[in-house]
Structure formats: structure tokens, C-alpha cells
Amino acid sequence: DRTRSPRGMRTRLAALSPIALGVLLLAGCAAQLEHGKGMDLLAQGKPAEAVESLRRANTLEPDNVRYRIDYLNQRSTVVQNLVTAADEERSDGKLDAAIQRYREAARVDPANPRVKSGLQAVEAERRSGTQLQAVDRLVQANQTEPALEQVRRVLKENPQHPRALAHRRRPRFQRKAVDRRFLGRLDRIADGAQHRLQIVLGGGRSGSRGLLL
């Protein structure tokens, strides 16, 4: 490509006005400063701020391959580290710390799918926590059926939720589940008997009309 060769670049620069050339040179200097600042911030252990500086360098000089590679690589690394740490904190029940890390990752890469799913998981965990607190209150009030319904809602959203599974294994919930199945079986038996009775009675009425004719 002639435009990218040294001679081609000199030709393009010569065609620029002094003002345009000055702006271009200033942008290049600013990009270099931002890139250097970003690499320094990485060395200082400030990854989110570093990625922001690298992003600005890439924006100021988008044709610079080195700047773009450094920005994309560091962004990916920083987000992966933040999300991994947030996932661990969420698993340990440290939801406030987890959401802080997810949000920090979102500032670095707002469109990252792992960040979005992590934030959604924290919100789901908070809902589950509120529902399970209600379960404890209902159990203390001896309201087993509403408590069991709350447990079912949590397990519907997260079938592997450890606290909800522990609640479901409670003896009183086990007995309630057995009672519900037994009552459901009785209802089905009663419905079937009623249906057969209607058939018998209907057949009897038809037979009586035939005799009268």
C-alpha cells in the first residue's frame, strides 16, 4: 500500500495545511502520553484507570496498531480478573463486594456479557435472600404452606440454591409435600368416580326413554 509506505506518508503530510499538520502532531503526542500513562498505571496496580488511558490513546490515534492491541488485551485481562473475583465473592455471599467489582468491570467494558450476567445473578441472589427471610418468619408463625410456596419460588429461579434446598429438606416441608400429593391423588380419584357416575346415570336415562317408546 503506497499510502502506508514512508514515501506515501511523506506525500500525505506534505499535502496537509500547516494547521492540520499541527493538529495531527498534537494528537499523536497526546496519544503517546496517554499510552505511556496507561502502562504506568498498570505497573502501579490501577488496572481500570490504566485501561481508560489506553482507550483514550487508541481513540486519539486509531491507526496505531500497537495502541489498539494494548488497549484490547488489557481490557480483556482486567475484565476477566474483576469478574472472576466478583464471582468468588458472590459464591461466598459477599454480595455488596461482588456488585462493586461487577460495576467496576462494567465501567471498563459495558457490553461484556459476563458482567451483565453477574449483575443479574447478584440481583437474583438478593431476591432469594429476601424470600428466604420471609420463609423463616412464616415457619416461626407455623404457616407451613406459604413458607413452602416461597421456597418453591426460589428454587424455580435457581434450582441449586443451597439454602432453599436445605429448607425443602426440612421434615415439616417433607410432610407437607406428601400431604399435598396424597390430597391430589384423592381429588383425582373423586373426579374419576364422579365422571363414571355421570356416565352410568346418563346411560340409565337413555335406557328408560327407549323402554317408554
Side-chain angles (χ1 to χ4, degrees):
D1 189 345
R2 293 180 180 178
T3 61
R4 292 185 180 275
S5 67
R7 183 177 178 181
M9 290 297 294
R10 284 195 297 271
T11 302
R12 291 174 62 193
L13 290 173
L16 293 173
S17 68
I19 295 177
L21 182 59
V23 170
L24 183 63
L25 291 173
L26 285 173
C29 291
Q32 186 176 7
L33 288 173
E34 287 291 352
H35 182 267
K37 179 182 175 182
M39 301 310 288
D40 288 342
L41 287 168
L42 279 174
Q44 296 169 20
K46 299 177 179 178
E49 297 174 29
V51 170
E52 179 58 23
S53 287
L54 294 175
R55 183 193 65 78
R56 286 196 292 265
N58 178 66
T59 301
L60 288 167
E61 199 171 330
D63 292 334
N64 191 308
V65 177
R66 178 191 172 192
Y67 291 175
R68 180 146 188 87
I69 289 175
D70 284 347
Y71 165 58
L72 293 177
N73 285 345
Q74 294 303 325
R75 185 183 69 174
S76 176
T77 300
V78 168
V79 169
Q80 182 176 351
N81 291 340
L82 286 170
V83 171
T84 299
D87 288 344
E88 292 175 357
E89 288 168 338
R90 178 167 57 84
S91 298
D92 293 339
K94 301 174 182 177
L95 300 185
D96 290 338
I99 201 168
Q100 183 176 351
R101 288 191 188 273
Y102 284 130
R103 286 173 177 169
E104 187 176 355
R107 287 193 293 271
V108 176
D109 186 5
N112 188 284
R114 287 188 64 194
V115 175
K116 291 182 178 180
S117 63
L119 287 169
Q120 291 170 353
V122 169
E123 292 303 318
E125 187 66 31
R126 283 179 167 172
R127 284 195 301 273
S128 299
T130 301
Q131 290 171 322
L132 292 175
Q133 287 176 358
V135 169
D136 292 333
R137 291 194 298 269
L138 290 168
V139 168
Q140 290 176 0
N142 202 29
Q143 298 183 34
T144 305
E145 183 62 35
L148 183 57
E149 182 59 31
Q150 290 285 352
V151 173
R152 288 198 193 94
R153 289 178 184 176
V154 174
L155 291 174
K156 183 177 181 181
E157 188 168 30
N158 181 4
Q160 302 302 321
H161 196 287
R163 283 181 59 199
L165 290 172
H167 273 299
R168 195 177 65 176
R169 287 192 289 268
R170 282 178 145 182
R172 71 166 63 197
F173 286 165
Q174 294 287 339
R175 288 195 301 271
K176 194 68 178 179
V178 170
D179 292 344
R180 284 170 63 91
R181 288 196 295 270
F182 179 69
L183 290 173
R185 193 176 305 142
L186 287 180
D187 288 340
R188 289 192 294 273
I189 292 171
D191 290 341
Q194 185 176 7
H195 180 65
R196 287 193 296 273
L197 181 60
Q198 288 174 348
I199 293 174
V200 170
L201 291 176
R205 285 195 294 270
S206 297
S208 298
R209 285 197 298 273
L211 289 174
L212 290 173
L213 293 171

